[in-house]
Every structure is written in C-alpha cells, then in structure tokens.
Amino acid sequence: MISVDNLAVEFSGHTLFSDVSFTINENDKIALMGKNGAGKSTMMKIIAGVQNATRGNVRCPKEAVIAYLPQHLLTEDNTTVFDEASKAFSHVFTMRDEMEELNKQLETRTDYESEEYMKIIERVSDLGEKYYALEDINYDAEVEKALKGLGFKQEDFIRQTNEFSGGYRMRIELAKILLQKPDLILLDEPTNHIDIESVIWLEDFLLNKANAVVVISHDRAFVDNITNRTIEVTMGRIYDYKANYTHYLQLREDRRAYQIKAYQEQQKFITDNMQFIERFKGTYSKTNQVSSRERMLEKLQIIEIDDVDTSALKLRFPPTNRSGNYPVTVKEVSKSYEEHVVFKDANMSIARGEKVCFVGRNGEGKSTMIKSILGEIEVEGTCVLGHNVKVGCFAQNQAALLDESLTVFQTVDEVAQGDVRTQIKNILGGFMFRGDDIDKKVSVLSGGEKTRLAMVKLLLEPVNLLILDEPTNHLDLKSKDVLKEALQNFDGTLILVSHDRDFLQGLSKKVFEFKEKRVIEHFETIDDFLVRNRVESLKAIDL
C-alpha cells in the first residue's frame, strides 16, 4: 500500500492543492481526473519521486517499485531499442559492474590491513548479498521476449530509437515498465500518439498483468475500460470515488446538486441572521443574542460549489462552395522509401459529404497517404482532388506553421469572418485559452497550446474537404466534444486519422484499414470494425 499524506504544492503565492491524502492499494486502477491546470500531472510527478511537494510526503514500502511513464517520452535518440529496453535492469547491471570493479581492486591491492581495504571488502559483501539474492534471470532473454511481444522484430533490436514512430517509442517505455514488474504504474496521457491496436494492447496489459495503476487521460473509452476508481482534483482538493469514469460523472453531478442545495440553505441562514442583527443592533435586551450571532457568522465556513464549466459552445464551420461529386480519387497508388514498401496498389474513392477514417498501426502509411492526397510527396499511380475542392488540413506538425510573432487572439482574428468574430473569446475558451492566455505570443506557447490554437484556426476557415491527422492530442474532454459536434455538423467531406475510439464513434461510416502494405476498404463504423476485428493477436501475448 502506498500512502499520500497531506500533500500541498504552492508557488508564486498560488496554491495548486493542499492537504491532499489518499492511499493506493494493490490492484487499484485509478483515473486521476480534473481540469487542465488542476495539478494532476504535478501530483503524479510527486508520487513518482521526480518532483517535490511544498508540504507532505508519499510513503511506500522500502522495496516497492514505482514505474512512471511521463507525457513526453524520455527515450534517448542515440540508443538502440534493445539497450533502451535493457535500462529496466540498470540497477542490477550497476550493482554487478561495481562488484566486478571492487573485486579487481582487491586482486591488485596489497594493503590488506588498511582501513580502506576493509571498507572495500564490506562493500563487496553487501553488494554480493543483494545481487545473489535476486531471482536468477537471463536478462537479455527477458528483454527480447518483451520486445517481441510488443511487436518488435529481431532486426529492430539494433536500430536507433529515433527511427521509430511515437507509438513504438511508447512501446519501448512500456517494455521497460513491464520488465520491472512494478508495484505501481503511473501513466500520464499514455494514449497520445499511439494507434488503436496499441491502445487495445495497453488496456489488456493494465487489466490483466499490472498491479496498481494511476492514469491521467483524456481518452474517455480508455479510462472507462481500465479503471475502477476515480480521484478528481478540483479547487485545490480531491474527491475519491469507487467508480469508473462514466459512473463518476453521475456521482459528481449528484455531489454538486447537494452542494448547491446546502449552499442555498446556508445563504438563507446567513441572510436571516444578518436581518436579525440589523433589526436588533442597539437594543439592550438583545445585545447578547446579537453578539452571539455575529461571532457565529464570523466563524462560519462558507460552503463552496465545485467549479464546473457548464458553458455550451456550439461551433459550425463557415459555409463554402460545393465540391465535385468525388473530392478524392486514388488509383493504383504505391509508395516506397528505398527498399521499404509503405503500401502498394491502393485504391479509394471518397464521395462528397462522406466521413471516413483511416486506421492501422503506426508506420503502416496513414499519414503517408494523406501527404499523397495533398500532393506533398511523389507516388506511383494517381491521386486526384475533385472539382472545386478547398482543403483544410490538420497535420501532426500543424503547430510549426503558426506565425510566432502574433498573439493567440490575433492568430484567430486573422481568419475569422462574419458574426463569428464576436465569439472569438468564447471559442478560444472552449479550447482552454482563457483570461490573459489570449494575449500571449504564439512564440511562448507550449507544444500542446500551439496544437490547440492551430485547431481553432482551422475550424474557422471555409473548406469543403477536411483532413485531420490525430486532431485530439492535447485536447481535453470538453474541447474534444466541441470539435466532435462541429465535425458532426460539417456538411463537407471528412478524412479522419485518430486512435481515439470515443471520438471516432458516430463520425464515420466507412473505414480504410492500412495493413501489411495494403489499403482495405470496410463499409462499417469504427465500432463495427473493432468488434469484427478485435486484434486478438495483441490479447494473445504471453509475457
């Protein structure tokens, strides 16, 4: 059992949270929820031991192993896949290397009676006791088994980690976690940048092979599938629910309704007493009663109602001219890089008004196909945009195309037209730009903030073909709901690449699957596709 005791974090006169206490029990699967900026990632870093709290502490058994997967991967670019995964055993290798070095010193030294010689003997003895008490493991074999189970081939082991997509780099980190067999796994936005198959594998691993887990995620389906407990961070404190995310939402509404009722009753109580005080102030016979009630009101702790954003932001794409019948036509298209074939003889016709999604493992060619359609790369075969097509594209590098000399407000104001100009602040608020944020220069924004701003800018441009490549990364649940509703009402043509099943649900009725160098067309929703093809190979992994 891991105990979080009276944690507090304060900086620049601001209290992020205070007096936070809870325990993490064996096999707990906890979702850490709350608004962006509430302190979720900070709390997770403190539990992981990579950040200090202002007050309070985290207590855990001496031998407990805590594994932390941060939001931004830490894999080094000058390391092979095998060497990076082997870092799971770095403490063992360090111990072994130190023993070997000390034994070499004992072989060459002749000062047998010296104090330093005796200290070396004691150190070797201590290390040996710990090292030989470890389970007899073939570490190289364990690393190989884990990597192969996560989809790496033998020839991948000697490749540099920077040659792999974000999804596979995530798998390297997961291999390290798995090899450590930790008592607690901490995951901060683990589903960003990984494909649907990877997410399904991760769910299976966390449910069936992990001990305790604490996760921060804006992927509603993922959180619902793996958690049995929700800890909400709000207004500097926490609420702990023995429920998954969907059930927690209902319980939160019930709690807020109770708070509102209690607040209203308290306000009536205060008003009644204030009226009594005003009425009888200066009346000699009521002096004691007036004084008593004044002291009571001074000590009264005012009930707070949880800050819940209930504003309803409805965003519609601006109208534009109608496109031809088939905005996108792909015929016998193949793409290779040197000897590596990405896909071969791909065909697709996307009709006006259709909403389709591209699915498949990372590296199978989804983003490459988008570049082919946009004419950004040369391919064999033909990719044709139809008559009168106006394309709006959100690529994973979209943030890099923003003008860094402009402010957040100016960036959006530059493209907004008509009545929507009066709603710019509300629209930015819907994507987590609030208060003074709108006056920040683009140059000082974080990567996630730039990505959200690029999305807002795209939503205000008049287009009839919209291509979105992983649009929900860095969006919170409310922002995703705003975007999804806008896409549902979009009367143009949509091509969507996303790993977020909850976001995809209800958006597309056709799936193009990228698999084994082929592009396969399925006339079904993403839910039907996943039910029919549940990726059983991932569930069959035995690690």
Side-chain angles (χ1 to χ4, degrees):
M1 185 177 73
I2 294 170
S3 177
V4 175
D5 298 328
N6 299 313
L7 282 191
V9 172
E10 299 166 354
F11 53 88
S12 304
H14 171 67
T15 299
L16 190 60
F17 51 78
S18 63
D19 299 324
V20 168
S21 298
F22 60 92
T23 58
I24 303 171
N25 302 302
E26 186 179 359
N27 297 321
D28 269 348
K29 303 294 189 293
I30 301 171
L32 200 57
M33 305 300 290
K35 287 186 175 183
N36 284 63
K40 303 184 300 295
S41 293
T42 300
M43 190 176 296
M44 183 170 281
K45 289 175 182 176
I46 293 169
I47 297 171
V50 299
Q51 183 171 328
N52 294 322
T54 306
R55 294 187 306 278
N57 55 72
V58 177
R59 293 187 291 116
C60 59
K62 185 177 180 182
E63 302 302 323
V65 176
I66 297 177
Y68 171 50
L69 186 69
Q71 191 170 345
H72 304 288
L73 296 181
L74 302 177
T75 48
E76 296 180 10
D77 290 340
N78 60 350
T79 308
T80 66
V81 169
F82 192 89
D83 287 344
E84 185 66 32
S86 296
K87 289 179 181 179
F89 302 119
S90 59
H91 63 293
V92 178
F93 300 148
T94 299
M95 198 185 306
R96 181 191 62 193
D97 293 344
E98 185 180 354
M99 283 175 57
E100 290 177 356
E101 174 60 30
L102 291 173
N103 279 319
K104 285 180 182 178
Q105 290 186 36
L106 292 175
E107 290 173 6
T108 57
R109 296 178 70 117
T110 57
D111 54 336
Y112 309 119
E113 303 297 328
S114 70
E115 184 178 344
E116 190 173 348
Y117 191 89
M118 295 306 294
K119 285 182 179 179
I120 295 175
I121 291 177
E122 289 176 7
R123 179 60 178 162
V124 170
S125 177
D126 289 342
L127 287 172
E129 186 176 344
K130 294 177 182 176
Y131 183 77
Y132 294 113
L134 294 172
E135 184 182 351
D136 188 16
I137 294 175
N138 183 335
Y139 296 105
D140 287 354
E142 290 295 307
V143 172
E144 181 175 337
K145 183 179 177 183
L147 289 173
K148 284 185 174 179
L150 290 169
F152 290 94
K153 300 174 183 176
Q154 189 80 34
E155 56 266 31
D156 292 332
F157 292 178
I158 58 173
R159 292 173 60 190
Q160 299 290 306
T161 59
N162 63 357
E163 296 179 27
F164 290 87
S165 65
Y168 275 90
R169 289 168 74 114
M170 174 72 75
R171 292 186 187 198
I172 297 170
E173 292 298 305
L174 286 170
K176 288 158 65 175
I177 286 176
L178 181 150
L179 290 164
Q180 292 176 61
K181 298 179 180 177
D183 300 282
L184 171 63
I185 298 175
L186 304 170
L187 304 173
D188 193 350
E189 294 291 358
T191 63
N192 279 359
H193 309 297
I194 64 174
D195 53 54
I196 287 176
E197 291 189 353
S198 303
V199 175
I200 292 172
W201 176 87
L202 180 56
E203 286 179 1
D204 184 71
F205 167 63
L206 295 175
L207 283 170
N208 299 313
K209 297 182 174 67
N211 294 312
V213 177
V214 178
V215 62
I216 298 170
S217 178
H218 290 136
D219 186 328
R220 184 175 289 147
F222 173 74
V223 169
D224 244 359
N225 288 342
I226 68 164
T227 60
N228 54 24
R229 183 177 165 194
T230 302
I231 294 178
E232 180 189 14
V233 185
T234 180
M235 298 174 67
R237 56 182 182 267
I238 67 164
Y239 292 95
D240 196 343
Y241 300 86
K242 302 296 188 290
N244 70 0
Y245 179 73
T246 297
H247 190 200
Y248 139 77
L249 289 177
Q250 182 57 54
L251 293 173
R252 186 181 67 176
E253 285 303 308
D254 293 345
R255 185 189 81 219
R256 193 165 188 273
Y258 173 80
Q259 287 177 337
I260 291 172
K261 182 180 178 182
Y263 174 80
Q264 290 171 341
E265 290 176 351
Q266 187 185 59
Q267 289 299 305
K268 184 179 183 305
F269 174 78
I270 292 171
T271 300
D272 290 346
N273 279 280
M274 289 296 294
Q275 288 176 347
F276 179 90
I277 292 168
E278 287 299 317
R279 180 180 177 185
F280 294 108
K281 185 179 288 186
T283 302
Y284 180 76
S285 62
K286 300 287 187 181
T287 299
N288 290 339
Q289 293 181 50
V290 168
S291 298
S292 176
R293 296 194 183 203
E294 285 177 335
R295 289 193 299 271
M296 178 186 64
L297 291 180
E298 287 173 2
K299 295 178 180 179
L300 190 65
Q301 187 169 357
I302 302 300
I303 293 171
E304 292 183 301
I305 300 173
D306 290 344
D307 183 18
V308 175
D309 191 352
T310 57
S311 60
L313 174 65
K314 293 187 180 296
L315 190 59
R316 297 186 69 93
F317 287 88
T320 188
N321 295 330
R322 180 172 164 145
S323 72
N325 289 336
Y326 288 92
V328 177
T329 304
V330 173
K331 291 183 178 179
E332 300 295 321
V333 169
S334 301
K335 181 60 183 176
S336 302
Y337 292 100
E338 297 180 353
E339 296 181 0
H340 174 61
V341 178
V342 182
F343 46 73
K344 189 172 179 62
D345 298 329
N347 292 282
M348 63 175 69
S349 293
I350 302 176
R352 181 181 63 241
E354 271 194 316
K355 294 181 172 68
V356 307
C357 63
F358 290 177
V359 301
R361 292 189 176 193
N362 288 347
E364 292 283 356
K366 302 185 296 296
S367 296
T368 301
M369 178 59 77
I370 287 174
K371 292 176 182 176
S372 304
I373 292 170
L374 295 173
E376 295 177 356
I377 57 175
E378 294 184 1
V379 294
E380 297 178 23
T382 58
C383 287
V384 179
L385 291 176
H387 171 68
N388 205 30
V389 169
K390 182 169 176 54
V391 181
C393 181
F394 182 87
Q396 294 186 45
N397 67 340
Q398 204 70 26
L401 305 178
L402 295 172
D403 185 342
E404 297 205 338
S405 67
L406 299 178
T407 66
V408 169
F409 184 88
Q410 288 169 338
T411 300
V412 178
D413 188 52
E414 197 175 55
V415 296
Q417 298 178 11
D419 293 342
V420 77
R421 292 176 62 88
T422 63
Q423 296 295 315
I424 291 177
K425 288 185 179 180
N426 290 336
I427 293 168
L428 287 169
F431 285 81
M432 299 183 286
F433 293 102
R434 300 180 177 92
D436 295 338
D437 291 341
I438 67 173
D439 297 320
K440 289 181 179 177
K441 291 278 190 182
V442 172
S443 58
V444 304
L445 299 180
S446 67
E449 288 172 327
K450 288 179 180 178
T451 300
R452 296 200 306 273
L453 182 59
M455 175 58 67
V456 176
K457 183 178 178 183
L458 176 62
L459 290 175
L460 297 179
E461 294 178 351
V463 299
N464 51 34
L465 171 60
L466 197 57
I467 301 175
L468 305 179
D469 191 355
E470 298 292 1
T472 60
N473 292 342
H474 307 294
L475 297 186
D476 67 358
L477 290 167
K478 182 174 182 292
S479 302
K480 286 199 287 189
D481 287 342
V482 171
L483 174 60
K484 184 173 180 176
E485 185 175 1
L487 294 177
Q488 287 172 326
N489 294 323
F490 178 55
D491 57 8
T493 307
L494 173 67
I495 298 175
L496 180 61
V497 180
S498 177
H499 64 267
D500 190 326
R501 290 155 295 167
D502 183 73
F503 182 76
L504 286 170
Q505 187 177 32
L507 273 180
S508 72
K509 294 184 178 179
K510 185 188 287 187
V511 175
F512 287 99
E513 180 185 13
F514 289 69
K515 184 178 182 181
E516 297 173 352
K517 302 176 176 48
R518 298 169 60 218
V519 180
I520 308 162
E521 187 174 17
H522 301 282
F523 293 90
E524 57 191 358
T525 67
I526 189 65
D527 284 343
D528 292 337
F529 171 79
L530 289 173
V531 168
R532 184 180 56 79
N533 181 21
R534 182 58 183 163
V535 200
E536 292 299 328
S537 60
L538 289 176
K539 284 191 166 281
I541 295 172
D542 181 20
L543 293 168

